[in-house]
Amino acid sequence: MFINFFHQLKSEGVPVSLNEWMTLMEALAKGLAFSSLTGFYYLARAVLIKSEAHYDRYDLAFAKHFQGLETSDDVIKHALEWLANSQPPLHVPPGERSPFANWDLDELRRQLEDRLKRQDGEHHGGSQWIGTGGTSPFGHSGYHKAGVRIGGQSVNRSAVQVAAERHYQEFRDDQITGVRSFEVALRKLRQFSTRTEGPKDELDLDGTIDATCKNAGKLKLVWERPRRNTMKVILLMDSGGSMNQYMQLCSRLFTAAHRATHFKDMRFYYFHNCIYDRIYTSPSLTSRNAVKTEDVLSSLKADYRLIIAGDASMAPSELTMRGGAIDWDMHNEQPGLFWLERLARHLPFSVWLNPIPSEHWDRTEGYYSIALIQRVFPMFELTPEGLEQALKKLKAKTK
Amino acid sequence: MSEKLSRFSGTGDYIVSEELQNSVNVAIALGRPLLVKGEPGTGKTMLAKSAAENLGLKFIIWNIKSTTKAQEGLYVYDTVQRLYDSQFGDRDVSDIKQYIRLGKLGEAFTSDEQVVLLIDEIDKADLEFPNDLLWELDIMSYFIPETGETITAKNRPLVIITSNAEKELPDAFLRRCIFHYIDFPDKAMMASIIKVHHPDLEERLMLQAMEAFYSLRNVSGLLKKPSTSELLDWVQALELGGINPDRLTHELPFLGVLLKKNQDLDRVPRNQQERGGRSKSFPYSQRG
């Protein structure tokens, strides 16, 4: 039952497990959907979806799957009343118990067209013509098993309508959100940084007390391995003209990274469009705060995680030619690509975050340079979800 | 558990949306924990209290802190007390049972009546915390090796868990929960919430206050958007301060009640902030 809906959810990218699906089946068997589509909508959402970030995808999948199945909830109410009044449920004719079976949208449409052609005026309270307050399938404020509402207000909004309104769009985790979600994402860089090896050289006070007590009062020392965070991060941010429109987004990442106190070391540098022999310690990019890229590199061990944030959109010459740097007075002996490759070689844990949404990467004006850079660094969108994927990538060496 | 469907439907001082009611009832019927998320101040903790009240059940709160361990919810073996007793000979130390103190989860399990157990702010604890409770919440029983005892739930408690999304919860844990995200109330809902808390409030003041409140929430870039509980406080301040509703159209008195961060206060356009001297004597400070 509804197994196609399960696949629809999967294809929208909602992580649903078979376990949860079975729970839903159990709930349906207990009648928790109250035999209405609206009830089913909320029930399935409560059981299957475990984050508000996935609500929007659920809505999309639901709207797609149950499209055309708009039933007026009045019917269900009536059916429920009948069900409540009659003792054995079999009393209700089967056709009336399943309000959205036994009808065909195309057939209804055909009939509607036909009636629109033939109807000559207002008809209210009837059973055939388009009107209000009747039992014809067409019109509004009326009652029909599976009618087509024409104008008027839906008294009870159906689940498909609720889903189609997509209230939770702003919660999607692939959408741009606040500093906080970046922070949450950055915290994940901690979980794979606790040391499982090394000497046990820290006194475990609680453990010692426990062991001593269990040892009937004779002192017994317990040692444990210190849980230090060894994660070291270097963040390189593009601070050039083309980045201005993404300024807010980048500043969120910057704020989040700044607040992250769980790294052993965190360094910030800036560049203009591409990285050459000099990078900067301040986003104003003046020669006074320029440092040699080579010096920075030699001070970094290979266990530093490199995160580059930039739109990667530049003239191909900035990447591939000597002296291609966008700043005229910054003549570079080596092309930009050389420096990028050198960085990637030196720091095998590296990612590139791009504020441009990934679906535009092959269409934006910088598509050529984006493709070139993607060959050097794995590239992710600068969204909480993209950052999360990027951090996962930072666990393993890229080359 | 009996097949009797307990129905939760909100209490006098807690307005609950139909979806949330449904989620609670689904959790009861399936015997699964209900995980509630939502903006701070949308009444997550209140939900559990109201559910207990409405269903007529005992209410147990387990407040989670960053140092809380899953074990503490099950039981604590007071070894230090036992050591003292062994040295001073107060009690019979061979009876370990008297040194086992049950935690909140154990309390909920051993209770003779069904209870509502609130595990508040589960995301405050260590990342592994929810995983450590998986088994216990699933089969509702655990084993105490020191005494060889097994604690099994007499009545499956209704477990309500709240989270502020500070940490991601493990998937295995999420799979076992019923999930509900509490939406920020719309205006109609908000009006009925205010009415419940301030029944004598002048209608016009309420409408103006809500108008101002929702437009304030729409100011982009706020670090902390004002929430329901802050609106309730603010309405009370307005009422006590005897503020004329018309004043709210061009200024916002007692803004410090709504916005708690200096940066946020700076974000709100200057002309909307208060300049008049009336509030100076009022206990709520501007920069709260």
Side-chain angles (χ1 to χ4, degrees):
Chain A
M1 193 161 60
F2 298 124
I3 196 68
N4 287 335
F5 181 47
F6 181 74
H7 290 300
Q8 183 83 52
L9 284 171
K10 283 265 183 203
S11 69
E12 284 295 332
V14 185
V16 203
S17 74
L18 214 52
N19 261 346
E20 287 156 319
W21 191 254
M22 293 323 288
T23 311
L24 177 63
M25 292 301 122
E26 187 191 333
L28 285 176
K30 287 191 175 178
L32 291 174
F34 309 114
S35 36
S36 85
L37 195 57
T38 315
F40 177 75
Y41 170 79
Y42 289 118
L43 174 70
R45 196 178 74 181
V47 175
L48 300 178
I49 311 299
K50 297 301 154 68
S51 162
E52 69 276 14
H54 297 139
Y55 271 10
D56 186 49
R57 282 175 220 182
Y58 172 79
D59 278 355
L60 277 178
F62 192 92
K64 269 187 204 159
H65 187 78
F66 292 101
Q67 207 173 32
L69 277 186
E70 276 198 31
T71 62
S72 71
D73 274 9
D74 290 356
V75 183
I76 292 139
K77 232 180 253 163
H78 278 279
L80 283 177
E81 272 165 27
W82 297 329
L83 279 170
N85 291 339
S86 59
Q87 281 138 353
L90 273 175
H91 249 260
V92 184
E96 285 167 10
R97 255 198 299 152
S98 57
F100 44 77
N102 300 338
W103 68 282
D104 172 11
L105 189 64
D106 291 337
E107 171 65 15
L108 262 189
R109 272 200 195 117
R110 202 188 50 69
Q111 282 184 22
L112 175 61
E113 271 166 33
D114 178 54
R115 256 165 256 194
L116 275 173
K117 257 183 244 156
R118 294 193 289 142
Q119 186 168 345
D120 49 4
E122 281 186 25
H123 287 267
H124 293 299
S127 66
Q128 165 87 7
W129 301 105
I130 305 165
T132 58
T135 54
S136 154
F138 308 112
H140 72 83
S141 308
Y143 157 62
H144 185 270
K145 282 202 282 208
V148 175
R149 182 163 61 78
I150 303 172
Q153 282 295 313
S154 158
V155 188
N156 288 300
R157 293 181 319 152
S158 82
V160 180
Q161 282 171 313
V162 173
E165 280 169 15
R166 298 185 60 189
H167 278 295
Y168 298 93
Q169 212 166 349
E170 58 189 282
F171 291 121
R172 283 185 79 112
D173 52 7
D174 52 359
Q175 297 284 316
I176 301 146
T177 28
V179 179
R180 190 168 174 75
S181 40
F182 279 136
E183 272 185 275
V184 172
L186 275 176
R187 274 184 208 177
K188 291 206 176 130
L189 209 53
R190 178 169 57 177
Q191 68 192 35
F192 39 87
S193 63
T194 54
R195 221 193 290 171
T196 49
E197 289 159 15
K200 292 188 172 182
D201 57 358
E202 206 175 70
L203 182 68
D204 175 5
L205 208 55
D206 284 342
T208 302
I209 293 172
D210 238 27
T212 305
C213 291
K214 279 178 182 154
N215 208 17
K218 266 171 100 181
L219 186 66
K220 189 174 178 187
L221 293 176
V222 177
W223 301 90
E224 65 177 356
R225 294 186 181 99
R227 275 166 65 103
R228 277 189 217 108
N229 192 356
T230 52
M231 191 57 70
K232 291 176 277 188
V233 179
I234 168 170
L235 181 62
L236 271 164
M237 289 179 103
D238 188 352
S239 169
S242 62
M243 286 294 284
N244 280 348
Q245 50 183 316
Y246 307 112
M247 202 116 97
Q248 234 191 345
L249 187 60
C250 288
S251 85
R252 281 186 195 134
L253 174 68
F254 180 78
T255 316
H258 242 286
R259 283 199 208 151
T261 50
H262 61 275
F263 298 123
K264 194 173 175 191
D265 187 22
M266 176 106 211
R267 300 195 196 184
F268 299 93
Y269 293 101
Y270 303 86
F271 60 93
H272 191 183
N273 273 11
C274 188
I275 296 157
Y276 304 105
D277 51 352
R278 269 160 221 278
I279 51 179
Y280 304 85
T281 55
S282 131
S284 54
L285 309 179
T286 51
S287 56
R288 205 175 338 139
N289 48 45
V291 287
K292 276 190 177 158
T293 312
E294 199 158 344
D295 292 350
V296 174
L297 272 183
S298 61
S299 74
L300 298 174
K301 277 199 191 153
D303 58 349
Y304 269 84
R305 264 62 173 177
L306 172 67
I307 301 174
I308 305 178
D311 59 2
S313 302
M314 53 199 100
S317 62
E318 291 178 55
L319 274 178
T320 52
M321 281 167 63
R322 288 174 56 191
I326 188 162
D327 297 302
W328 189 248
D329 53 340
M330 279 290 309
H331 183 79
N332 53 308
E333 277 304 316
Q334 305 291 348
L337 208 55
F338 166 84
W339 281 105
L340 294 181
E341 274 163 359
R342 193 165 161 191
L343 269 173
R345 254 202 321 275
H346 189 86
L347 301 169
F349 303 94
S350 52
V351 288
W352 188 294
L353 293 170
N354 196 329
I356 302 174
S358 57
E359 71 249 36
H360 300 317
W361 285 355
D362 49 356
R363 276 183 280 133
T364 161
E365 32 176 341
Y367 76 95
Y368 184 75
S369 55
I370 289 181
L372 267 180
I373 289 174
Q374 267 181 303
R375 274 192 236 155
V376 185
F377 294 105
M379 195 179 282
F380 299 92
E381 278 180 322
L382 183 48
T383 59
E385 199 180 56
L387 180 60
E388 229 183 284
Q389 288 166 1
L391 295 180
K392 244 177 224 164
K393 190 88 198 170
L394 279 183
K395 277 199 269 192
K397 294 190 181 186
T398 30
K399 290 272 157 63
Chain B
M1 202 185 79
S2 67
E3 276 301 296
K4 175 187 63 141
L5 256 182
S6 317
R7 298 281 289 142
F8 166 66
S9 58
T11 43
D13 60 349
Y14 183 77
I15 304 283
V16 61
S17 70
E18 204 180 318
E19 297 108 81
L20 183 52
Q21 273 179 36
N22 276 340
S23 298
V24 174
N25 290 323
V26 167
I28 297 174
L30 295 179
R32 306 254 173 162
L34 174 68
L35 172 66
V36 187
K37 259 175 111 182
E39 266 184 55
T42 38
K44 297 187 288 293
T45 307
M46 281 293 291
L47 166 74
K49 193 165 164 280
S50 147
E53 224 165 89
N54 187 235
L55 301 169
L57 302 177
K58 206 176 123 194
F59 184 40
I60 297 179
I61 308 177
W62 185 12
N63 261 313
I64 307 299
K65 303 191 181 84
S66 61
T67 52
T68 309
K69 297 273 182 309
Q71 180 70 28
E72 292 166 27
L74 307 179
Y75 71 96
V76 180
Y77 174 23
D78 193 347
T79 44
V80 178
Q81 184 64 48
R82 188 166 174 238
L83 185 62
Y84 279 143
D85 287 353
S86 78
Q87 278 167 355
F88 303 112
D90 286 349
R91 279 184 276 184
D92 176 17
V93 287
S94 63
D95 180 16
I96 295 183
K97 209 171 169 186
Q98 58 183 327
Y99 302 106
I100 302 281
R101 267 187 276 117
L102 293 183
K104 293 288 180 192
L105 208 59
E107 206 180 306
F109 284 2
T110 51
S111 168
D112 287 325
E113 41 182 327
Q114 202 193 0
V115 299
V116 174
L117 172 66
L118 169 67
I119 304 182
D120 208 9
E121 314 202 19
I122 195 166
D123 52 328
K124 289 262 187 311
D126 195 67
L127 282 169
E128 288 306 315
F129 179 87
N131 277 339
D132 294 346
L133 283 180
L134 269 188
W135 174 257
E136 284 76 11
L137 285 177
D138 225 19
I139 62 158
M140 294 278 170
S141 100
Y142 60 88
F143 178 67
I144 304 180
E146 280 87 352
T147 56
E149 236 183 323
T150 304
I151 305 275
T152 311
K154 291 180 185 160
N155 297 293
R156 208 177 169 92
L158 167 61
V159 183
I160 296 182
I161 302 166
T162 70
S163 163
N164 280 324
E166 284 194 12
K167 292 193 189 94
E168 209 65 29
L169 297 172
D171 287 343
F173 180 78
L174 290 175
R175 271 202 291 279
R176 287 166 171 84
C177 294
I178 303 295
F179 174 77
H180 188 92
Y181 181 84
I182 299 190
D183 275 317
F184 196 80
D186 57 11
K187 287 189 181 179
M189 180 101 172
M190 187 61 91
S192 55
I193 293 175
I194 296 179
K195 274 192 191 126
V196 162
H197 288 266
H198 303 285
D200 303 326
L201 190 70
E202 205 190 323
E203 179 84 14
R204 223 157 56 82
L205 178 62
M206 184 183 84
L207 290 179
Q208 289 291 359
M210 272 174 42
E211 194 65 41
F213 173 75
Y214 277 99
S215 70
L216 195 61
R217 271 183 65 86
N218 281 335
V219 173
S220 66
L222 285 187
L223 293 176
K224 159 96 180 63
K225 285 185 177 181
S227 66
T228 313
S229 51
E230 275 138 7
L231 173 63
L232 289 174
D233 287 346
W234 191 52
V235 167
Q236 191 172 18
L238 294 175
E239 204 182 9
L240 288 175
I243 303 291
N244 185 345
D246 294 331
R247 239 179 100 189
L248 294 180
T249 52
H250 54 272
E251 62 177 353
L252 298 172
F254 316 132
L255 198 57
V257 181
L258 288 175
L259 299 178
K260 308 291 171 69
K261 302 211 171 188
N262 280 346
Q263 295 98 307
D264 285 353
L265 283 166
D266 295 340
R267 279 222 173 236
V268 177
R270 278 283 146 207
N271 56 7
Q272 278 196 36
Q273 288 199 25
E274 182 187 42
R275 293 197 197 92
R278 191 174 344 180
S279 81
K280 294 260 160 62
S281 59
F282 198 77
Y284 287 93
S285 70
Q286 255 292 315
R287 306 233 149 183

XYZ file of all heavy atoms in Angstrom, chain A residues 231-261:
238
model
N 42.074 18.813 15.424
C 41.683 19.391 14.142
C 42.265 20.779 13.949
O 42.100 21.659 14.790
C 40.155 19.442 14.097
C 39.594 19.761 12.755
S 40.127 18.623 11.500
C 39.233 17.155 11.983
N 42.951 20.963 12.846
C 43.484 22.289 12.514
C 42.941 22.696 11.157
O 42.917 21.899 10.231
C 45.007 22.247 12.494
C 45.582 22.052 13.880
C 47.080 21.906 13.855
C 47.504 20.501 13.543
N 48.931 20.264 13.691
N 42.507 23.919 11.073
C 41.799 24.351 9.868
C 42.389 25.644 9.336
O 42.761 26.532 10.111
C 40.294 24.563 10.167
C 39.565 25.027 8.925
C 39.671 23.302 10.711
N 42.501 25.739 8.036
C 42.858 27.011 7.421
C 41.756 27.379 6.436
O 41.335 26.562 5.612
C 44.251 26.961 6.740
C 44.443 28.188 5.870
C 44.458 25.691 5.952
C 45.854 28.333 5.364
N 41.247 28.600 6.589
C 40.141 29.051 5.751
C 40.639 30.170 4.846
O 41.165 31.175 5.302
C 38.998 29.557 6.633
C 37.739 30.054 5.947
C 37.083 28.945 5.159
C 36.749 30.595 6.966
N 40.506 29.947 3.554
C 40.926 30.951 2.574
C 39.678 31.501 1.898
O 38.903 30.743 1.324
C 41.812 30.293 1.512
C 43.307 30.238 1.774
C 43.951 29.249 0.846
C 43.918 31.607 1.575
N 39.501 32.813 1.969
C 38.279 33.372 1.394
C 38.567 34.358 0.292
O 39.455 35.206 0.411
C 37.466 34.066 2.491
C 36.849 33.091 3.464
S 35.941 33.934 4.736
C 34.298 33.672 4.191
N 37.780 34.231 -0.767
C 37.854 35.182 -1.864
C 37.230 36.485 -1.395
O 36.159 36.500 -0.808
C 37.086 34.620 -3.065
C 37.278 35.476 -4.306
O 37.866 36.569 -4.183
O 36.852 35.042 -5.389
N 37.902 37.594 -1.632
C 37.355 38.861 -1.172
C 37.407 39.868 -2.315
O 37.853 40.980 -2.168
C 38.165 39.343 0.027
O 37.850 40.646 0.355
N 36.988 39.418 -3.470
C 37.089 40.303 -4.634
C 35.746 40.780 -5.104
O 34.705 40.423 -4.568
N 35.762 41.602 -6.132
C 34.558 42.259 -6.639
C 33.399 41.321 -6.890
O 32.290 41.554 -6.410
N 33.676 40.209 -7.592
C 32.564 39.336 -7.960
C 31.940 38.668 -6.742
O 30.865 38.082 -6.832
C 33.039 38.267 -8.945
O 34.019 37.461 -8.334
N 32.624 38.750 -5.612
C 32.107 38.082 -4.423
C 31.142 38.973 -3.649
O 30.497 38.524 -2.708
C 33.248 37.671 -3.500
C 34.034 36.500 -3.979
S 33.038 35.002 -4.001
C 32.988 34.615 -2.254
N 31.058 40.253 -4.041
C 30.255 41.186 -3.249
C 28.828 40.718 -3.033
O 28.279 40.860 -1.957
C 30.239 42.563 -3.911
C 31.511 43.311 -3.601
O 32.277 42.892 -2.736
N 31.770 44.383 -4.320
N 28.237 40.134 -4.090
C 26.840 39.726 -3.951
C 26.685 38.560 -2.973
O 25.581 38.286 -2.525
C 26.271 39.361 -5.314
C 27.144 38.409 -6.084
C 26.565 38.133 -7.462
O 25.377 37.923 -7.585
N 27.410 38.145 -8.477
N 27.771 37.870 -2.685
C 27.682 36.740 -1.746
C 28.226 37.107 -0.379
O 28.476 36.249 0.453
C 28.435 35.527 -2.283
C 28.016 35.153 -3.674
C 28.885 35.309 -4.743
C 26.741 34.648 -3.902
C 28.482 34.977 -6.022
C 26.345 34.318 -5.176
C 27.219 34.481 -6.243
O 26.816 34.159 -7.494
N 28.447 38.424 -0.200
C 29.109 38.877 1.006
C 28.421 38.365 2.275
O 29.068 37.840 3.165
C 29.080 40.385 1.031
C 30.145 40.918 1.897
S 31.303 41.831 1.075
C 30.610 43.421 1.433
N 27.083 38.515 2.312
C 26.356 38.139 3.520
C 26.563 36.671 3.844
O 26.830 36.289 4.977
C 24.878 38.413 3.317
C 24.327 39.275 4.416
C 22.824 39.323 4.374
O 22.214 38.952 3.376
N 22.228 39.767 5.443
N 26.470 35.861 2.785
C 26.623 34.423 2.954
C 28.008 34.090 3.495
O 28.172 33.326 4.444
C 26.402 33.768 1.591
C 26.339 32.269 1.543
C 25.214 31.783 2.412
C 26.125 31.823 0.114
N 29.033 34.720 2.883
C 30.398 34.428 3.297
C 30.650 34.910 4.719
O 31.373 34.269 5.473
C 31.388 35.091 2.349
S 31.416 34.288 0.762
N 30.028 36.052 5.048
C 30.285 36.559 6.391
C 29.654 35.637 7.429
O 30.132 35.522 8.546
C 29.762 37.989 6.535
O 28.408 37.991 6.876
N 28.576 34.952 7.036
C 27.987 33.984 7.954
C 28.944 32.834 8.202
O 29.133 32.392 9.326
C 26.687 33.430 7.379
C 25.546 34.369 7.556
C 24.264 33.710 7.107
N 23.234 34.719 6.951
C 22.427 34.805 5.903
N 22.516 33.928 4.935
N 21.541 35.749 5.833
N 29.539 32.354 7.118
C 30.504 31.259 7.263
C 31.658 31.713 8.138
O 32.121 31.006 9.022
C 31.022 30.829 5.887
C 32.144 29.804 5.911
C 31.632 28.468 6.418
C 32.774 29.638 4.550
N 32.107 32.963 7.878
C 33.239 33.503 8.612
C 32.915 33.593 10.104
O 33.694 33.180 10.958
C 33.568 34.882 8.053
C 34.718 35.549 8.726
C 36.007 35.176 8.420
C 34.507 36.531 9.679
C 37.071 35.785 9.052
C 35.563 37.132 10.312
C 36.854 36.759 9.997
N 31.716 34.135 10.407
C 31.308 34.267 11.809
C 31.251 32.905 12.481
O 31.736 32.720 13.597
C 29.911 34.914 11.897
O 29.881 35.999 10.993
C 29.627 35.399 13.287
N 30.653 31.962 11.764
C 30.522 30.628 12.342
C 31.893 30.022 12.609
O 32.143 29.446 13.666
C 29.724 29.733 11.398
N 32.815 30.194 11.645
C 34.151 29.631 11.802
C 34.882 30.312 12.954
O 35.623 29.692 13.703
C 34.935 29.797 10.505
N 34.635 31.621 13.088
C 35.285 32.359 14.161
C 34.817 31.907 15.524
O 35.572 31.862 16.479
C 35.002 33.849 14.001
C 36.244 34.642 13.778
N 37.117 34.903 14.779
C 36.761 35.179 12.662
C 38.139 35.584 14.294
N 37.940 35.761 12.999
N 33.531 31.601 15.592
C 32.975 31.190 16.881
C 33.371 29.777 17.247
O 33.279 29.389 18.395
C 31.454 31.266 16.814
C 30.947 32.668 16.927
C 29.499 32.611 17.310
N 28.809 33.793 16.814
C 27.520 33.802 16.496
N 26.810 32.706 16.601
N 26.950 34.908 16.086
N 33.747 28.993 16.237
C 34.090 27.598 16.514
C 35.347 27.566 17.365
O 36.411 27.975 16.925
C 34.304 26.850 15.213
N 35.197 27.145 18.588
C 36.345 27.165 19.493
C 36.936 25.778 19.656
O 37.881 25.596 20.396
C 35.898 27.656 20.887
O 34.741 26.897 21.257
C 35.570 29.110 20.864
